[in-house]
Amino acid sequence: MFARILTIFIIIFLILPVFIVIPISFSSAQYLTFPPPGFSLQWYESFFSDSEWVEAAIKSIQVGLLTTILSLVLGIMTSIGLVKGNFPGKQLLQNIFLMPLVVPTIIIAIAVYSFQSKTGLVGTTFGLVTAHTIMATPFVIVTVLASLKGMDPNLEYAAMSLGANPFLTFMKVTLNVIKPAIASSALFAFVTSFDEIVVTLFISGVSVTTLPKKMWDGVRTQVDPTIAAVSSIMIILIVVILISSQIYGEVRDNKMAKKLEETAG
Amino acid sequence: MEKSMNIAVKENSMSNKVQRVFEPRWTERIGITLSNPGTLLVLPVIFIAVFLGYPLLNIFIQSIYNGHLTSEYYVRFFSEGLYIRVLLLTLKIGAIVTLTCLVLGYPVAYTMTFASKRAKGLILIAILIPFWTSLLVRTYAWMVLLQTQGVVNQMLLKLGIIHEPIKMIYNTTGVVIGMTHVLLPYMILCLYSVMQGIDKNLLSAGSNLGARPFQVFSRVFLPLSFPGIMSGSMLVFIMGIGYFITPSLLGGQKDSMISQLIQIQVGDLLNWGFASAISFVLLAVTLLLLMLSRRFLRLDKLW
């Protein structure tokens, strides 16, 4: 009982800061104050009418999508190679691939920055995408790897004994089984890139600005409520995605349960 | 007609076999690639080697080579009190944050373990919302809340609990609050994944044998949840000591953590050799902790 009451307080500690931003974004005041004195859309207007903010958002989406594609391709290849391949040092190789999950980002940031400034990649979309892919691929590997390991190998044997070559087997069978894992890792990869700030700070140069970098500059100079508007848009997007995936999961579970009942009954 | 085609195919396959001995055709090479999935790793390995491995090697060389082989950067780090203090402060903040996360995370994970399916789902959403929310958004939120003129101070003043604003930001308190908020979901998820797997019959067995509820918890549940405590604490500590954004925005001048030291050396002073050396000290600490916690913390089981 005691643990439950405590849990409620801790949950409030976790969520409240996230949602306090939303009322502030609708504030009619010129400065930060709470509770807001009145309702206004001025901060949303200042976001959408400022070409710098809009360009930063577009850049973030562009880099995010490219990173998602590249890290999905690399991540799926790696996962299959690690699960199906047979060679010494597999565990070590897997740990190397997953390193960016725990290695402090600042180290990756200065290493990549040093490399990119020598190769002229600083401030290019290509530079950002490759750097973000390093950060995002481990999430894809972890998710897809778990799904592949949980897969019944007989499905693939069945396909192959029916005459499918390895490529066809992968496309028709394996890919279908790991589809949910691919979907969630795509989301992971996109968010990782969309949210990446430490590496981006170093390698984006002066001309290219992503959304997090623009926010970083804004937060450092003044606590501008435009950031509250941007934040609110991002929070609402995340909440919608999370709740719809939860509902989707519940609906799917219920359907499965019903099917099982029908077959059993 | 059909028969002759069959024969042709047969002959063809025989000549294939002969050919394979000497030189595989390119179509067969693809076949070989696909039948040995290990080769799928070639491309990812090249990618990682070029875009991460080589850059890391490069800064490692920078940290020990300055026209000639040198240890000056490492010697400088370990001989000047200022840098040692930053390292110690980093470890201290990491430890405080880990402990706070454990104290706050344990009851949540515990409640989740015994909650109904629906409540579990709700708590999970509540944990995942901050988990998925942009780090900058969350840090911004804490700035709004904790400022001298911030929400928390205004509320406390209005309620008459305090008479002048408390300083909760641009000091260690701010850093600890911000980092705890970011790292708590990791702790909860680590704890929960272990607690969920505890056989609940053991708890009933304990109480059947006459243990009081608190004894069941302290003598049965707590020891069984120990792997979760270890993996969660290790993960939070390892991630915490590398933090950069939160201490930069919520900490004061005196709360510089080691990541900020690296950033200052590169960004402001262009002191690449020294920055690389500090990076490798931090990397060494991280890898050492990972090795030590290998028993509890498996990278592929984290997410």
Side-chain angles (χ1 to χ4, degrees), chain B residues 31-293:
Chain B
I32 291 165
T33 307
L34 286 169
S35 59
N36 181 9
T39 46
L40 281 171
L41 289 165
V42 172
L43 200 62
V45 165
I46 292 174
F47 184 87
I48 290 289
V50 171
F51 291 103
L52 184 63
Y54 173 70
L56 281 174
L57 183 70
N58 207 15
I59 62 162
F60 179 64
I61 291 170
Q62 280 175 7
S63 78
I64 53 165
Y65 190 80
N66 176 20
H68 53 277
L69 214 55
T70 173
S71 60
E72 66 170 303
Y73 301 122
Y74 290 95
V75 170
R76 182 171 160 206
F77 182 83
F78 286 108
S79 61
E80 282 185 39
L82 170 70
Y83 303 128
I84 294 295
R85 266 205 301 281
V86 173
L87 179 65
L88 290 179
L89 181 75
T90 305
L91 297 176
K92 189 181 122 193
I93 291 181
I96 298 175
V97 170
T98 305
L99 205 66
T100 322
C101 282
L102 184 59
V103 170
L104 295 180
Y106 202 92
V108 177
Y110 183 85
T111 308
M112 262 177 94
T113 310
F114 295 100
S116 66
K117 208 176 163 225
R118 188 155 215 109
K120 225 177 255 183
L122 282 175
I123 299 176
L124 206 59
I125 286 185
I127 296 167
L128 289 179
I129 286 173
F131 191 76
W132 281 94
T133 308
S134 159
L135 181 60
L136 276 174
V137 170
R138 282 183 285 172
T139 313
Y140 173 78
W142 281 115
M143 292 171 84
V144 170
L145 282 166
L146 299 178
Q147 278 177 70
T148 324
Q149 301 297 318
V151 178
V152 173
N153 268 323
Q154 282 182 31
M155 291 290 174
L156 291 177
L157 282 171
K158 257 182 211 154
L159 293 172
I161 297 173
I162 53 171
H163 297 291
E164 52 185 77
I166 324 171
K167 198 164 158 34
M168 289 176 285
I169 197 176
Y170 309 126
N171 55 23
T172 315
T173 316
V175 179
V176 170
I177 293 176
M179 283 178 61
T180 302
H181 187 246
V182 176
L183 291 168
L184 186 55
Y186 292 95
M187 177 67 92
I188 297 176
L189 294 175
C190 277
L191 287 169
Y192 175 64
S193 77
V194 169
M195 288 182 186
Q196 190 191 23
I198 294 177
D199 185 353
K200 306 300 176 297
N201 290 326
L202 294 172
L203 307 181
S204 327
S207 56
N208 279 344
L209 292 169
R212 275 168 286 136
F214 180 73
Q215 277 178 319
V216 172
F217 172 75
S218 66
R219 308 273 298 264
V220 184
F221 191 83
L222 190 63
L224 286 173
S225 68
F226 186 70
I229 296 178
M230 284 310 287
S231 66
S233 304
M234 277 303 194
L235 181 68
V236 167
F237 188 77
I238 289 170
M239 294 181 80
I241 56 172
Y243 259 52
F244 171 70
I245 298 295
T246 316
S248 307
L249 292 176
L250 298 178
Q253 291 276 314
K254 279 190 235 149
D255 307 296
S256 269
M257 287 175 69
I258 200 159
S259 288
Q260 291 165 275
L261 189 63
I262 296 170
Q263 189 268 332
I264 290 166
Q265 293 297 328
V266 169
D268 301 347
L269 306 172
L270 294 175
N271 204 340
W272 278 97
F274 190 44
S276 304
I278 309 171
S279 298
F280 275 90
V281 172
L282 177 59
L283 188 63
V285 173
T286 307
L287 291 181
L288 188 72
L289 288 168
L290 275 175
M291 298 272 259
L292 287 176
S293 55

